[in-house]
Amino acid sequence: MKDVLPAEIIVRDVCRVKKGERVLIVANPETNMIAQDLFESVKKAGGEPVLVFQTAKNSFDNASPEVLASIATNPDLCFSVSSSKLGKDPGAAAHPYVDEKGTKFMHIFDFLLNGKKSMRAVWMPGITQEMYERAVQIDYKELASRCAALKKAYEKAVSVHVTSSGGTDVVVPVAGRKALEDDGDFSKPGSGGNIPAGEVFISPVVGTGNVQDEGNILDKIKQKIGGQGDDESEGGVRSGAEGKGAQADGSKAEEKNVPAASGTNGKIVFDGSMTFGDGDAILETPIVVQVKDGFVSDIDGGEEAARLKKTIADAEAKSLAMEKEGKLPEGEGSVYRRNARNIGELGIGLNPAAVITGNMLEDEKAFRTCHFAIGENYDNDAPALIHLDGVVREPTIEITYEDGSKRTILQNGELVL
């Protein structure tokens, strides 16, 4: 396998490109070599590739109109090979696409992938040449088997208890939620995910916390960070089109199964790496996050904790500003502001070639880790401008089921399947 280009593995084994399929590749000059490899591999497989370049986009940047128009042609397969982000869709943010179930989508990419399910996709935000050459060439059959077993372990789960030697001790309600997988099989319309692949993840039930009186919210947010909220942060905020490929079915937790806790509760100690408004980084000092009823209530640590606070505060302020400017539908600004503190994901890394490098695209796939995200989730009931992943090293994870039984799926980082 090592004699085969990673792009050929992606095209042949991951996406299974067929003769005559239309394949759109969106890239930046910084990712030119990977994009060219994909272009040639698609041609070799008999597909019809089109390669479009745009300047690198950060968190609050919009995608180029030409890129959005290209995606709107509804290709069979779309690759986003971005040095940071694909970019937002301002038209859809102001006037969302709506599928047959009534689910709203804030990006044409998401609508075609998860709404119409007419397109499949691969996205690689932050991909580097070294990561591409090392973490792509894995056994995808083994990965799929591992993902399927872990996904099955979440069936009929009520809650998940995560602890770690670093101090994490948090209970995550998941009743009625479905676990999702990034297993490297993006061969069917409506399927998609990251490359490098390799994780199983789930959206916690949205809690009842973080209820705030309206007042002058913008002023309150700015006061929290000493006026830093006036500066718009870049990077680290989830582009609507670059989540993990969860199929947006608009599902909600069934109230009868929701445990007594009104959302995620406890303490998360991030001690691996973290996504911030100005990029990803390996943590020099752990970030201690207190969570109450599903939402971040306090953040403690060193300079990196301050960076996280600023990113969240910027997202809160930006949410209200975007509604005022007509860039979010009326009433959505306060929803997005609230969800900037939501615990939106619990994921488990399953790629044996992935290591913690300070690049979240790879870090969240690493063995012996789990990660939580602050912000938007994958069940379409907690929209936010941010999705900030943070890695916890060597966790122990125990699932509690509807019948009261318990099962440990990770013990000090080791998979127990």
Side-chain angles (χ1 to χ4, degrees):
M1 184 180 288
K2 293 295 184 181
D3 295 330
V4 180
L5 282 175
E8 291 185 35
I9 295 171
I10 295 169
V11 168
R12 181 192 66 199
D13 299 339
V14 173
C15 298
R16 303 176 199 171
V17 171
K18 302 178 184 68
K19 184 176 181 180
E21 284 195 310
R22 297 170 51 242
V23 180
L24 174 65
I25 304 166
V26 181
N28 312 132
E30 296 88 342
T31 59
N32 173 57
M33 291 181 64
I34 298 172
Q36 292 285 357
D37 281 352
L38 288 168
F39 186 94
E40 294 301 327
S41 294
V42 170
K43 281 177 57 179
K44 184 177 179 180
E48 300 176 1
V50 171
L51 176 55
V52 179
F53 285 100
Q54 65 175 348
T55 56
K57 304 297 180 182
N58 284 318
S59 304
F60 291 124
D61 291 340
N62 293 326
S64 299
E66 294 80 5
V67 165
L68 295 172
S70 297
I71 297 171
T73 65
N74 198 10
D76 296 297
L77 172 62
C78 182
F79 287 102
S80 173
V81 191
S82 308
S83 59
S84 180
K85 298 290 182 181
L86 173 61
K88 295 187 180 297
D89 182 343
H95 305 286
Y97 293 95
V98 182
D99 69 6
E100 295 178 351
K101 298 179 180 178
T103 305
K104 295 179 180 180
F105 296 90
M106 314 295 261
H107 204 292
I108 181 61
F109 185 105
D110 290 336
F111 176 62
L112 296 177
L113 175 66
N114 294 324
K116 291 185 68 177
K117 293 182 170 58
S118 58
M119 181 181 79
R120 58 195 199 276
V122 174
W123 50 99
M124 316 176 191
I127 187 76
T128 65
Q129 191 70 29
E130 189 274 335
M131 185 195 309
Y132 163 75
E133 293 175 354
R134 174 175 46 76
V136 171
Q137 302 186 73
I138 62 174
D139 186 334
Y140 284 95
K141 289 184 179 179
E142 182 180 12
L143 175 62
S145 175
R146 193 179 291 127
C147 286
L150 190 53
K151 184 179 177 181
K152 185 174 178 59
Y154 275 108
E155 292 179 2
K156 298 184 179 180
V158 172
S159 64
V160 184
H161 187 195
V162 183
T163 58
S164 75
S165 60
T168 293
D169 190 350
V170 64
V171 176
V172 181
V174 295
R177 297 300 211 190
K178 293 181 179 179
L180 302 162
E181 57 191 345
D182 183 1
D183 63 356
D185 180 2
F186 312 138
S187 59
K188 298 177 182 178
S191 65
N194 291 151
I195 289 294
E199 64 169 307
V200 167
F201 53 101
I202 195 166
S203 297
V205 174
V206 179
T208 57
N210 199 27
V211 177
Q212 303 174 33
D213 60 273
E214 294 301 318
N216 192 334
I217 296 293
L218 279 170
D219 286 343
K220 291 179 181 179
I221 291 169
K222 290 174 182 178
Q223 288 169 9
K224 287 182 183 179
I225 56 171
Q228 291 180 354
D230 293 323
D231 299 324
E232 183 176 287
S233 67
E234 306 247 328
V237 183
R238 180 180 181 264
S239 164
E242 296 197 338
K244 292 197 175 72
Q247 297 187 0
D249 56 10
S251 60
K252 304 288 193 300
E254 298 177 10
E255 289 186 8
K256 64 180 182 180
N257 289 331
V258 176
S262 302
T264 302
N265 278 278
K267 177 172 66 175
I268 302 171
V269 181
F270 296 114
D271 56 3
S273 58
M274 190 80 212
T275 297
F276 303 101
D278 53 357
D280 302 336
I282 292 178
L283 296 176
E284 295 183 4
T285 304
I287 300 176
V288 180
V289 175
Q290 302 291 341
V291 183
K292 181 177 175 58
D293 294 339
F295 295 83
V296 173
S297 60
D298 190 44
I299 300 171
D300 194 21
E303 293 182 2
E304 293 150 327
R307 290 170 68 188
L308 180 58
K309 288 180 182 179
K310 182 181 186 306
T311 301
I312 293 173
D314 284 348
E316 290 173 321
K318 181 74 173 177
S319 297
L320 297 177
M322 286 180 66
E323 180 185 346
K324 187 176 181 180
E325 296 164 4
K327 295 177 181 179
L328 284 176
E330 185 177 353
E332 288 294 294
S334 60
V335 175
Y336 275 61
R337 168 181 52 82
R338 177 177 184 249
N339 290 329
R341 292 178 177 270
N342 176 56
I343 299 301
E345 176 194 4
L346 166 61
I348 297 173
L350 296 171
N351 185 320
V355 295
I356 295 178
T357 63
N359 185 322
M360 195 56 67
L361 176 63
E362 178 176 8
D363 294 2
E364 66 179 10
K365 313 301 191 312
F367 263 15
R368 303 181 64 83
T369 71
C370 73
H371 57 279
F372 294 87
I374 299 170
E376 188 169 24
N377 68 13
Y378 293 107
D379 277 40
N380 263 23
D381 56 0
L385 294 179
I386 54 175
H387 180 92
L388 308 174
D389 290 299
V391 173
V392 175
R393 297 178 186 265
E394 300 189 348
T396 293
I397 300 180
E398 181 184 67
I399 299 176
T400 298
Y401 296 95
E402 292 174 350
D403 63 3
S405 63
K406 299 177 185 290
R407 177 183 177 185
T408 298
I409 55 174
L410 260 75
Q411 184 71 48
N412 298 322
E414 292 288 344
L415 277 171
V416 184
L417 293 175

